[in-house]
Amino acid sequence: QVNVVESGGGLVRPGGSLRLSCVRSGTVFSSFIVNSMAWYRQTPGQKRELVALLSNSGATDYSDDVKGRFTISGTNSMISLQMNNLEPEDTAVYYCKFTLLFSGHTSVDYWGRGTQVTVST
């Protein structure tokens, strides 16, 4: 069983900062590699949007909307998203995802249940 839990969401003023954390725990029977880690966000009526991606090579990628303001970092079992200079448009439920590559070339995504981020006065 693999569990993913986000934390750190809440209410923040425009221009403020917030740090989200995500922890992967549990065990699996097969050997695996954490191929990538990512943060997504979703607002009502919209598709889930990729915000930041961290590959196992250490490379990162960000959406144009958050580039320069957000920073993703982490390890094989923990990832964080540092969000600076927050804007009301950043309000969303944020989800973290671990992509595990198992032996036999099976890739599996593990999602957290999300944490609410609200940017408002």
Side-chain angles (χ1 to χ4, degrees), residues 2 24 28 32-36 76 98-102 106-110:
V2 176
R24 176 181 63 83
V28 296
F32 65 89
I33 296 173
V34 179
N35 188 250
S36 66
N76 286 337
F98 290 82
T99 299
L100 273 55
L101 181 63
F102 293 89
T106 301
S107 181
V108 180
D109 293 335
Y110 294 93

Side-chain angles (χ1 to χ4, degrees), residues 31-88:
S31 61
F32 65 89
I33 296 173
V34 179
N35 188 250
S36 66
M37 298 166 283
W39 284 96
Y40 290 73
R41 67 185 181 187
Q42 186 172 26
T43 57
Q46 298 188 3
K47 301 288 186 180
R48 189 167 297 183
E49 172 194 18
L50 175 64
V51 175
L53 176 69
L54 175 63
S55 70
N56 61 8
S57 69
T60 59
D61 194 21
Y62 300 91
S63 70
D64 291 338
D65 292 338
V66 308
K67 190 173 299 182
R69 299 187 297 117
F70 291 10
T71 303
I72 186 172
S73 62
T75 66
N76 286 337
S77 60
M78 298 180 63
I79 56 172
S80 64
L81 184 68
Q82 179 64 47
M83 305 184 294
N84 297 326
N85 195 23
L86 285 161
E87 305 169 351

